[in-house]
């Protein structure tokens, strides 16, 4: 399992039961060899050590390093800088005066978990490929920047992230998004 680069939690189910059986057997052997008097102390020490390691890893992976590429365990690592794009979308929607009724078109083929962050907006579309739209906000892939600039012409302006030279917003490792707002906003 450690050799597989793509890790998902459900792959661990294959070896969870054998590990539980092996752990039970190991505890029984410790009990037989150590006697009944020492067993509770040894068992307690093992449980405290295991919970200490697991607690540290849980906090580190879920709250501190959830978008760090050196950790391979998180399944979907949305970058923290992606939240800048969500803030910009909220600002554009407020400027449009339509709030959560603002139309948003997402033409990027890779956009997950963007639907979660845009769940409060009633008019979010995810068409396949680029499309002609009058929605005030358009989100595309960094790879689509050239075609989007040509297609949108002077009606839209790219809202740059300020994070890199291209002005893209990092979604996940290797996936960059671009944000366009209608010029009247």
């Amino acid at each position: 399992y450690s050799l597989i680069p793509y890790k998902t939690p459900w792959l661990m189910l294959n070896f969870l039961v054998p590990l539980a059986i092996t752990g039970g057997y190991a505890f029984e052997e410790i009990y037989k060899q150590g006697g009944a008097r020492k067993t509770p102390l040894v068992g307690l020490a093992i449980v405290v050590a295991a919970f200490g390691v697991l607690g540290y890893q849980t906090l580190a992976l879920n709250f501190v390093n959830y978008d760090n590429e050196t950790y391979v365990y998180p399944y979907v690592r949305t970058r923290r800088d992606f939240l800048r794009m969500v803030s910009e979308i909220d600002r554009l929607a407020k400027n449009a005066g339509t709030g959560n009724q603002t139309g948003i078109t997402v033409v990027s083929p890779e956009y997950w978990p963007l639907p979660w962050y845009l769940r409060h907006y009633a008019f979010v579309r995810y068409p396949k490929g680029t499309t002609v739209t009058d929605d005030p906000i358009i989100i595309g892939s960094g790879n689509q920047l050239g075609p989007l600039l040509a297609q949108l012409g002077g009606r839209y302006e790219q809202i740059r992230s300020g994070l890199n030279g291209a002005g893209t917003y990092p979604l996940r490792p290797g996936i960059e998004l671009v944000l366009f707002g209608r010029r009247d906003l």
Side-chain angles (χ1 to χ4, degrees):
Y1 182 72
S2 63
L3 295 176
I4 300 171
Y6 180 75
K7 293 177 176 45
T8 52
W10 52 86
L11 291 178
M12 290 191 300
L13 294 176
N14 295 328
F15 56 85
L16 189 62
V17 172
L19 281 177
I21 292 171
T22 304
Y25 176 74
F27 189 76
E28 180 184 8
E29 288 300 314
I30 290 171
Y31 181 79
K32 285 180 183 177
Q33 303 228 346
R37 213 178 312 170
K38 294 181 185 176
T39 301
L41 294 177
V42 172
L44 181 64
I46 291 172
V47 168
V48 167
F51 276 107
V53 170
L54 292 174
Y56 169 77
Q57 288 181 346
T58 298
L59 291 173
L61 289 175
N62 288 307
F63 300 107
V64 180
N65 297 310
Y66 61 85
D67 62 346
N68 189 339
E69 289 181 43
T70 59
Y71 290 91
V72 295
Y73 293 113
Y75 179 57
V76 176
R77 299 175 294 248
T78 304
R79 299 295 189 116
R80 330 173 182 233
D81 292 331
F82 172 71
L83 295 177
R84 289 185 183 189
M85 186 169 104
V86 176
S87 296
E88 285 295 324
I89 291 170
D90 292 341
R91 183 184 64 79
L92 290 170
K94 184 178 178 184
N95 289 350
T98 52
N100 293 345
Q101 302 301 311
T102 304
I104 301 172
T105 300
V106 180
V107 295
S108 172
E110 291 281 339
Y111 54 80
W112 190 259
L114 193 56
W116 170 255
Y117 290 100
L118 299 179
R119 68 188 180 278
H120 301 297
Y121 290 94
F123 301 106
V124 181
R125 299 184 311 130
Y126 300 91
K128 302 276 186 213
T130 59
T131 183
V132 178
T133 181
D134 288 330
D135 285 341
I137 300 170
I138 298 176
I139 301 169
S141 169
N143 298 334
Q144 297 172 311
L145 181 58
L148 280 172
L149 285 171
Q151 180 182 3
L152 299 175
R155 298 180 308 141
Y156 289 84
E157 180 180 338
Q158 182 184 357
I159 311 298
R160 297 182 165 275
S161 66
L163 299 170
N164 52 37
T168 58
Y169 295 87
L171 178 63
R172 294 191 305 267
I175 299 178
E176 303 283 327
L177 295 179
V178 291
L179 176 64
F180 288 92
R182 214 170 45 209
R183 287 202 183 267
D184 62 333
L185 301 181

